[in-house]
Amino acid sequence: MTTSGKIELMAPAGNFESMQAALDNGCDSIYFGVEQLNMRARATVNFILDDLPEIARRCNEKNVRTYLTLNTIIYDHDLSIVKTLLTKAKEAGITAVIASDQAVIMSAKTVGIEVHISTQLNVTNIETVKFYALFADTIVLSRELSLRQVKKITEDIEKEQIKGPSGNLVEIEIFGHGALCMAVSGKCYLSLHSHNSSANRGACKQNCRKKYTVIDQESGFEIEVDNEYLMSPKDLCTLDFLDQVIDSGIKVLKIEGRGRAADYVATVIKTYRDAIDSYYEGTFTKEKINIWMETLATVYNRGFWSGYYLGQKLGEWSDNPGSSATQKKVYVGKGMHYFPKSNIAEFKIEAYDIKKGDKILITGPSTGAQELVLEDFLVNDAASVKATKGDSCTFKIPFRIRLSDKMYKIVEN
């Protein structure tokens, strides 16, 4: 938990771009995977072992905690990799490991790195919390619980003084925003059956995001379900009842999205940061909620629903195979040079025209995701109001860019 006494806002980091976007927009912690033994092994680029010191360095500079996800099913041939990963994470100063397999939990104990229990272990009651408190300081509850059930667990932790290995009370973490899966706490076998590609090894093929026709095999009668992707839930969103979430006694709010782009991470983290701060300042209002919800809708989403937190028994399903975002980004060009004395950036326009007044997004491993409105600029060293493919475009910028940073134009969907 943060030293401020507020709940901890935990951000996804699928690569350095997303990690920097999270750091720049107010996260308290990040979670990330290294190579193959995490639940997003194929959904994102992922980091490599040698990235661990740089991850720790950047996050330590901002007093942000770092969590290594090592939460897949583990086989015997994985054990040496597990031990190497944990040893290197400990040496680099990574804060904790998110684990679901007992082999990882025990290896982490041996190495001396803090353990967080993954949602894959489906913790739904106080007795299970007591058991895992023998090994872990933070426990991620099952995504199928209501806030009433969550609050009962946090109250019992306080009442019974259930402490983790650190000697502090066990902290409860829940999912706050992002993609939901049809499976119970992420355990799914559809990909394994259809493609011999196990979601439980981080290799989900997203079968549930497709549209299906139901066929009666006896009569041949077909049913096509109109406007619903039967196994593809809408994205979880708790922002409009964040006050109830915080009042449930949780300590960590996790944002899903290691497979999503840096601009998604930047927008969602900044929005939840503003909302959390507003709650503690006593300015969490319906008017602000409406603005925040509009902002969240601008980036990738499948529509929003409240999950099971408010007691709803059935899921809400998306009505299209992709995003319902109100905005999209189109690639414009790449960074070529930065002039630090004058704070001027040079971009090569490679794909899409830009003009004065356009909203642009610049992304990169060190840059993160930065948005700005394009004002005065030069095209091939002459003042202009428009740049097209092949042009060299230079303009003042309030941050440093790097070679090959990418520039996008933000347009309405």
Side-chain angles (χ1 to χ4, degrees):
M1 189 180 174
T2 62
T3 54
S4 66
K6 299 177 182 178
I7 64 166
E8 178 180 312
L9 178 59
M10 183 177 173
N15 52 39
F16 276 117
E17 283 187 17
S18 294
M19 186 186 84
Q20 192 61 47
L23 295 176
D24 290 341
N25 285 280
C27 71
D28 298 304
S29 59
I30 63 154
Y31 65 104
F32 64 95
V34 171
E35 298 175 5
Q36 72 266 45
L37 295 180
N38 70 90
M39 293 301 284
R40 292 294 182 273
R42 293 190 186 176
T44 188
V45 176
N46 281 304
F47 295 97
I48 62 174
L49 202 59
D50 290 342
D51 290 331
L52 287 171
E54 177 67 4
I55 293 168
R57 184 192 68 79
R58 286 206 212 176
C59 292
N60 287 339
E61 284 180 356
K62 298 227 175 182
N63 197 30
V64 167
R65 290 161 64 87
T66 49
Y67 306 139
L68 168 67
T69 58
L70 220 171
N71 56 345
T72 60
I73 291 173
I74 301 297
Y75 296 126
D76 280 325
H77 65 261
D78 298 319
L79 293 175
S80 62
I81 300 173
V82 167
K83 291 174 183 176
T84 298
L85 264 174
L86 291 172
T87 300
K88 293 294 184 182
K90 176 68 175 177
E91 290 173 355
I94 299 303
T95 308
V97 60
I98 302 173
S100 63
D101 192 290
Q102 283 74 21
V104 178
I105 293 170
M106 296 312 294
S107 292
K109 183 179 179 182
T110 300
V111 169
I113 190 168
E114 183 180 322
V115 174
H116 293 186
I117 295 299
S118 173
T119 191
Q120 269 70 37
L121 280 172
N122 199 33
V123 176
T124 57
N125 61 75
I126 192 62
E127 293 302 321
T128 307
V129 169
K130 288 179 185 177
F131 174 77
Y132 285 116
L134 297 171
F135 314 100
D137 290 293
T138 299
I139 295 174
V140 188
L141 295 184
S142 169
R143 285 178 280 192
E144 291 72 42
L145 294 180
S146 68
L147 285 180
R148 181 181 59 79
Q149 291 170 308
V150 171
K151 187 170 186 177
K152 178 68 165 61
I153 288 172
T154 62
E155 287 175 344
D156 285 346
I157 289 171
E158 182 72 36
K159 180 181 177 182
E160 300 184 36
Q161 290 292 290
I162 301 170
K163 297 178 179 179
S166 67
N168 298 318
L169 290 179
V170 168
E171 296 189 341
I172 292 300
E173 174 187 321
I174 65 172
F175 284 79
H177 188 91
L180 280 175
C181 177
M182 62 168 286
V184 174
S185 285
K187 290 190 176 70
C188 181
Y189 291 92
L190 280 177
S191 291
L192 186 63
H193 289 317
S194 64
H195 296 88
N196 194 31
S197 182
S198 176
N200 303 303
R201 294 277 288 176
C204 177
K205 291 293 188 180
Q206 299 279 295
N207 297 47
C208 61
R209 306 302 182 189
K210 300 175 183 178
K211 193 163 188 173
Y212 289 90
T213 299
V214 181
I215 302 175
D216 182 337
Q217 293 193 353
E218 290 185 6
S219 66
F221 180 72
E222 294 188 7
I223 301 174
E224 183 174 322
V225 181
D226 188 35
N227 294 326
E228 283 195 350
Y229 284 70
L230 268 191
M231 296 183 287
S232 180
K234 292 181 179 179
D235 282 2
L236 174 66
C237 179
T238 61
L239 192 139
D240 55 339
F241 56 97
L242 189 63
D243 51 346
Q244 297 179 59
V245 171
I246 296 174
D247 290 343
S248 73
I250 63 144
K251 302 299 183 183
V252 186
L253 188 70
K254 179 176 184 176
I255 306 300
E256 181 65 76
R258 277 186 293 143
R260 295 187 178 176
D263 57 304
Y264 171 90
V265 175
T267 298
V268 175
I269 293 302
K270 184 179 188 307
T271 304
Y272 273 86
R273 175 79 279 152
D274 289 346
I276 290 169
D277 291 348
S278 289
Y279 170 86
Y280 288 101
E281 292 163 1
T283 59
F284 187 80
T285 64
K286 184 65 177 175
E287 291 73 24
K288 282 190 173 184
I289 289 171
N290 291 336
I291 294 171
W292 290 325
M293 292 299 291
E294 288 179 6
T295 301
L296 291 174
T298 64
V299 291
Y300 192 104
N301 70 86
R302 296 185 179 92
F304 297 128
W305 74 300
S306 59
Y308 298 97
Y309 290 136
L310 300 180
Q312 187 169 340
K313 298 300 182 185
L314 296 175
E316 291 186 15
W317 310 107
S318 58
D319 58 7
N320 66 70
S323 176
S324 298
T326 58
Q327 295 180 352
K328 66 179 179 180
K329 62 182 188 288
V330 292
Y331 178 69
V332 171
K334 66 182 179 182
M336 299 300 292
H337 196 72
Y338 179 73
F339 303 90
K341 289 185 179 179
S342 55
N343 298 322
I344 296 290
E346 178 187 355
F347 282 86
K348 180 76 169 180
I349 308 303
E350 296 185 320
Y352 202 86
D353 294 353
I354 53 171
K355 63 183 186 300
K356 185 174 181 177
D358 282 345
K359 182 190 287 187
I360 61 171
L361 167 73
I362 299 171
T363 68
S366 298
T367 304
Q370 305 283 350
E371 285 189 13
L372 66 152
V373 174
L374 198 60
E375 300 294 347
D376 297 328
F377 60 90
L378 301 180
V379 172
N380 304 324
D381 297 324
S384 181
V385 293
K386 184 178 180 180
T388 60
K389 186 176 179 180
D391 286 341
S392 172
C393 180
T394 55
F395 50 90
K396 233 178 187 4
I397 201 166
F399 53 88
R400 184 184 185 92
I401 70 154
R402 275 78 176 176
L403 280 177
S404 297
D405 273 10
K406 293 180 175 62
M407 179 164 66
Y408 302 87
K409 180 177 177 178
I410 304 296
V411 298
E412 298 297 316
N413 258 339

